[in-house]
């Protein structure tokens, strides 16, 4: 086995994923831990406890972390890097802790296409990884989509992150599903355990849910001039008229929400008609967004989010290491 060169990790709100990697970026081992919102001890102590076995074997390796660990609920708050930004600018603005052995990737900020401030933290590392995995993304104008609780639509120009737009698609779906009568007449407690198409929980959706999702997309395609607010009451009215099975209402709403998001984002962000959109994330969610994009004549290309974040973290590690060597020289 090649020697370990670095420890990198995605420390989000709910989960921590750590990777032991060699110099080529190959994963040698992995482990999980509590998310930034669940840490019940000082962050340095928590991290040292988790890494004790790796450190005993491999010594004190450099560590690069991204995600909410660099936010106000994390280890330390690392300022956002304003766009436009490239990998070097992001790497040079990492927060340095533990005598510089731990680096925390900063998030990004921009003024979006709606002339409003926008921010991301964690997704920038997936973007850097995607640029590393697919060199074609570093040429010309490109559009990326990172679906999730807060979906990001990102413009890239010759490998530089230009600007982005956030759509809280997953959060809106969850709020409507759990706290309204649109999807179900059950209490919020009963709904909390139900599977949602938007959650991408690793299970294949039943055929009826896939059909319901497609029906939601079709509604957006048929009436492109309508706003999401004018669409979503159908989730209730179609249930009451027996046009939609109660168990399929969540999937139908996913089609409305994701379809509306994709349709609007293409109008605002796509550099041309029939755009290619690179969709980065968990496969269950990228498939849903790919289907929505294809329904609006875009060409989706899916990139695995875990692969992208690992590649991005290692790219930041290498940039920091190169900068350190240059400084020493």
């Amino acid at each position: 086995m090649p020697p370990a060169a670095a420890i990198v990790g995605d420390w989000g709100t709910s989960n921590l994923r750590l990777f032991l990697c060699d110099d080529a970026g190959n994963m040698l081992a992995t482990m999980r831990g509590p998310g930034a919102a669940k840490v019940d001890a000082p962050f340095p102590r928590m991290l040292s406890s988790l890494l004790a076995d790796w450190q005993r074997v491999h010594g004190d390796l450099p560590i690069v972390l991204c995600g909410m660990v660099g936010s106000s609920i994390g280890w330390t708050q690392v300022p956002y890097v304003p766009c436009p930004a490239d990998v070097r600018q992001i790497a040079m603005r990492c927060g340095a802790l533990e005598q510089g052995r731990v680096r925390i990737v900063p998030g990004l900020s921009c003024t979006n296409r709606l002339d409003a401030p926008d921010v991301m933290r964690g997704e920038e590392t997936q973007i850097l990884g995607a640029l590393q995995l697919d060199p074609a993304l570093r040429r010309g104008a490109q559009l990326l989509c990172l679906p999730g609780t807060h979906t990001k639509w990102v413009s890239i120009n010759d490998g530089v992150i230009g600007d982005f737009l956030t759509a809280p698609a997953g959060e809106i779906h969850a709020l409507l599903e759990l706290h309204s009568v649109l999807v179900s007449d059950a209490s919020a407690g009963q709904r909390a355990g139900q599977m949602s198409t938007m959650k991408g929980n690793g299970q294949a959706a039943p055929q009826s849910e896939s059909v319901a999702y497609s029906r939601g997309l079709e509604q957006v395609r048929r009436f492109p001039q309508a706003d999401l607010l004018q669409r979503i009451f159908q989730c209730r009215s179609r249930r009451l008229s027996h046009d939609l099975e109660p168990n399929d209402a969540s999937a139908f709403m996913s089609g409305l929400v994701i379809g509306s998001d994709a349709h609007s984002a293409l109008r605002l962000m796509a550099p041309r008609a029939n755009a290619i959109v690179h969709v980065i994330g968990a496969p269950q969610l990228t498939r849903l967004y790919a289907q929505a994009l294809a329904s609006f004549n875009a060409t989706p290309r899916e990139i695995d989010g875990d692969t992208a974040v690992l590649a991005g973290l290692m790219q930041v590690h290498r940039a920091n290491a190169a900068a350190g060597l240059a400084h020493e020289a």
Side-chain angles (χ1 to χ4, degrees), residues 58-297:
H58 304 285
D60 289 334
L61 297 171
I63 300 170
V64 179
L65 303 170
C66 71
M68 294 302 285
V69 66
S71 74
S72 59
I73 67 168
W75 188 340
T76 188
Q77 192 162 3
V78 182
Y80 296 107
V81 174
C83 288
D86 59 18
V87 62
R88 182 182 175 279
Q89 292 167 306
I90 293 170
M92 293 304 98
R93 297 281 292 275
C94 284
L97 301 168
E98 304 291 289
Q99 291 76 54
R101 189 170 70 90
V102 177
R103 301 278 177 165
I104 298 181
V105 183
L108 297 179
S109 65
C110 77
T111 299
N112 65 29
R113 302 292 172 96
L114 303 180
D115 197 27
D118 214 330
V119 294
M120 69 166 68
R121 196 178 291 278
E123 295 93 349
E124 74 290 328
T125 311
Q126 287 187 320
I127 295 167
L128 296 180
L131 294 173
Q132 177 72 16
L133 293 168
D134 185 356
L137 281 174
R138 302 198 292 268
R139 298 191 293 271
Q142 306 287 345
L143 178 60
L144 277 58
C145 171
L146 294 87
T149 303
H150 296 157
T151 295
K152 307 292 182 181
W153 298 87
V154 185
S155 70
I156 306 289
N157 293 284
D158 294 327
V160 177
I161 302 170
D163 67 321
F164 54 91
L165 179 67
T166 302
E171 184 170 8
I172 292 296
H173 184 280
L175 288 170
L176 293 173
E177 183 177 41
L178 292 174
H179 301 290
S180 78
V181 297
L182 296 178
V183 168
S184 172
D185 294 328
S187 67
Q190 289 174 292
R191 296 177 209 165
Q194 297 174 354
M195 184 179 74
S196 167
T197 307
M198 278 291 293
K199 293 171 186 172
N201 56 11
Q203 302 178 35
Q207 181 63 28
S208 63
E209 289 192 1
S210 297
V211 172
Y213 176 73
S214 297
R215 286 185 67 191
L217 292 181
E218 178 62 13
Q219 280 295 310
V220 181
R221 195 190 66 79
R222 285 184 61 202
F223 303 101
Q225 71 278 15
D227 185 82
L228 178 62
L229 286 176
Q230 284 120 31
R231 304 184 201 277
I232 55 177
F233 189 71
Q234 299 177 54
C235 298
R236 179 166 175 78
S237 62
R238 289 182 183 276
R239 284 193 297 113
L240 295 176
S241 64
H242 307 291
D243 181 57
L244 183 67
E245 292 295 324
N247 290 340
D248 293 337
S250 177
F252 181 75
M253 178 173 282
S254 291
L256 295 179
V257 171
I258 293 176
S260 296
D261 183 17
H263 179 249
S264 296
L266 287 171
R267 287 188 298 169
L268 286 166
M269 303 286 290
R272 58 190 178 277
N274 305 315
I276 295 172
V277 183
H278 298 264
V279 190
I280 309 167
Q284 296 81 12
L285 275 179
T286 60
R287 281 195 293 267
L288 293 175
Y289 267 82
Q291 183 179 345
L293 288 162
S295 72
F296 296 112
N297 300 316

